[in-house]
Amino acid sequence: MQYTCETHSRFYLFLFLYPLTPLSTVAPRRKGQQGPLVPITPMPSYSDMDTPDLKNKLNRFGVRPLPKRQMILKLKEIHQYTHQVISSESEDETPSLGRPRAIGPPPTMEPTRKPVSCAQTGGFKEPSGRAAPAGEEDMEPLSASQGSNTSSTAPSEDSERSNPEQCLSDDSDTDDITASQSASKLQDNLIAVRRFIQSDPDLYGQILHYQPLVLSDLQARLKAAGIRLGAAKLLDYLDSQCITFTTAKYLLKRKHKQKKITDTPH
Amino acid sequence: MVVEVECLFGVYMLYCTNPKFKGRIYIGFTVNPERRIGQHNAGRHRGGAKRTSGRGPWEMVLIIHGFPSDIAALRFEWAWQNPHSSRRLSHITRRSKKESSLQFHWRVVSNMLRVMPWSRLPLTARWLKQEYRMDFEPGLQPPLHIPLAFGSIRARKQKPKDVEEEQEEKGADICLLCQGTVKSADKMTCFHPLCHMTSHLICLAKHFLKGEAAHLLPVEGECPGCRHSVLWGSLIRHKNGCYGDLEEHTSSSSQNHWTDELQI
């Protein structure tokens, strides 16, 4: 399940030392060429190969045996990398391939986490993956996907999921209206949201089943119903109602992964 | 005695027993605690986390389980790992000098169980190792429906549903509360033996929410059929085919306290 740094750097080391791929017909190196010139040969049909063959092929690159689906993907990836017209090999790990926790299609790990649209406020604190808060010597904040659950351990889920949980700076709601007026407006909006949920049996049913709601969906539907509620207030309300929410990205990724698991024959 | 549970989503706490690492703590998420602790102790090449790999033997001492989805559990995990960044936990003070890491994390999780959105989830706080167990501080008691349990837990695979059960039953089900016909997607039944209660999902939710008009999601209530007090979460688990750990729970209105049920 885990794809370690070591095997990966071995792979790149291999490419560096033996730039000609063993899978294609060897072409003589042209002098003066920057990188190795590799003819574009068609990709072998990895999807139809047996597991022992896949294992052997991977072993040539110093990659340990993986689940079959991942081996196929990795071999295809390697083939793409080694069959580029312009040599783009580098000794450093590229972010999209090098994640030790990458499973299946590597999740895009954005170096600066893209904030959820509703949370783009000024004082937005990014969860820095590495810095330990002062005085907390042993609880370094980690990306939360430590689980043994194979279907949902993408590191990027942390960026999506943790954003709504972050401390947000206050919504500057200070217009000309007084505090009590805005409070009662908020109350009205919350009541409207509640009525909206109760009027939709499917939506209410989802909540009663503890199924997470897609935040952007809900926001769009509320907007369409004419209910104006700021994102932070909406999150507060959802929390107070114990309603789990999620950003669509995480769900899409999960659907994508589950689809892949069910599609490829094992 | 090992409790076996289907659809287990748990957030656990590991304790490092190596004196060199002075009681370090690790928080993680799992659907299979027994497998997970093995992975941690085997190192990162066997599925364990990088941070725990090679850092001394770990023991899984505490697990919070009962989350209805992985997303809910992952959010809890993140907040437990980052209480000072979490919107809901800004009141939690930093770890003091005399507070051990274990005590600090116990304090954090005690607070978390009292705070929305987790305070209405059908959670259980379970100490897996007796020697580490701590009680809730007097001022940090969890909601009454959240028990403090002791003992091991094991993830269990869900039994595949019988084909017969999946088909619509010949006689249409009638909701006990509104007398309307109930479709299988909305059908709620009670898991107590001999109770034949059937009702609509929403009818039963409304029944449970009497007295809590402001809320949409019920926590617990009295079954209209057998009058037993049941957790909403247990009913949903039962509906989804999870039959483990569906204990009867004394309602908050009764005189009993969860501590009465503990066996020491």
Side-chain angles (χ1 to χ4, degrees), chain A residues 1-2 4-6 64 100-101 125 127 133-152 157-158 161-168 193-194 197-198 200-202 204-212 231-232 235-246 250-251 254, chain B residues 9 12 22-32 35-36 39 44-51 68-72 74-82 84-88 90 94-95 101 104-105 116-118 120-122 185 201-202 205-206 209 213-219 232-233 236 239-240:
Chain A
M1 177 166 68
Q2 297 261 328
T4 66
C5 291
E6 281 172 8
R64 69 180 181 96
R101 272 195 290 274
K125 262 201 294 186
E136 230 70 82
E137 54 192 359
D138 26 35
M139 244 357 267
E140 294 159 11
L142 269 181
S143 68
S145 51
Q146 304 297 338
S148 54
N149 187 347
T150 50
S151 66
S152 61
E157 99 201 354
D158 176 44
R161 181 189 44 74
S162 63
N163 282 344
E165 183 65 24
Q166 281 274 296
C167 290
L168 304 170
V193 172
R194 182 190 155 81
I197 292 174
Q198 284 182 315
D200 183 344
D202 288 330
Y204 194 20
Q206 214 182 334
I207 292 172
L208 289 174
H209 277 100
Y210 295 106
Q211 285 159 13
L235 293 189
D236 283 345
Y237 179 71
L238 291 180
D239 273 349
S240 71
Q241 292 295 326
C242 193
I243 295 173
T244 331
F245 49 84
T246 180
Y250 167 75
L251 276 187
R254 197 162 64 149
Chain B
F9 296 108
Y12 60 84
K22 298 171 201 136
R24 258 190 234 187
I25 297 291
Y26 175 85
I27 308 285
F29 161 82
T30 184
V31 296
N32 188 339
R35 177 180 64 177
R36 191 67 189 129
Q39 287 176 324
R44 68 190 173 116
H45 294 285
R46 301 263 291 280
K50 230 189 334 185
R51 210 167 68 86
S69 65
D70 56 350
I71 294 178
L74 288 165
R75 187 176 167 198
F76 189 91
E77 183 208 14
W78 187 86
W80 197 359
Q81 291 170 339
N82 306 282
H84 308 302
S85 308
S86 168
R87 293 158 68 229
R88 301 279 154 227
S90 48
R94 307 237 165 203
R95 179 167 80 96
S101 193
F104 172 67
H105 286 96
M116 289 299 227
W118 304 295
R120 286 179 74 88
L121 289 181
L201 177 73
I202 295 182
K206 292 206 168 118
L209 284 170
H215 284 107
L216 288 166
L217 190 57
V219 174
W232 182 258
I236 295 291
K239 181 174 188 289
N240 292 335

Side-chain angles (χ1 to χ4, degrees), chain B residues 9 15 22 42 44 69 134 154 160 166 168-169 205 257:
Chain B
F9 296 108
Y15 181 88
K22 298 171 201 136
R44 68 190 173 116
S69 65
M134 289 187 279
R154 183 178 300 152
E166 291 219 24
E168 285 285 335
E169 291 180 14
H257 192 250

Side-chain angles (χ1 to χ4, degrees), chain B residues 105-131:
Chain B
H105 286 96
W106 176 243
R107 176 163 66 89
V108 172
V109 82
S110 308
N111 273 285
M112 287 176 71
L113 294 175
R114 292 162 56 85
V115 143
M116 289 299 227
W118 304 295
S119 55
R120 286 179 74 88
L121 289 181
L123 303 176
T124 303
R126 177 177 292 274
W127 286 102
L128 299 164
K129 303 277 177 191
Q130 281 278 28
E131 51 271 34

Side-chain angles (χ1 to χ4, degrees), chain A residues 2-45:
Chain A
Q2 297 261 328
Y3 187 51
T4 66
C5 291
E6 281 172 8
T7 55
H8 213 79
S9 22
R10 242 188 288 161
F11 159 50
Y12 279 101
L13 191 63
F14 178 86
L15 282 179
F16 180 65
L17 293 173
Y18 307 101
L20 302 175
T21 164
L23 301 170
S24 58
T25 51
V26 172
R29 251 178 127 172
R30 272 191 228 150
K31 287 190 186 153
Q33 193 83 14
Q34 277 257 303
L37 177 66
V38 177
I40 308 288
T41 51
M43 190 179 333
S45 55

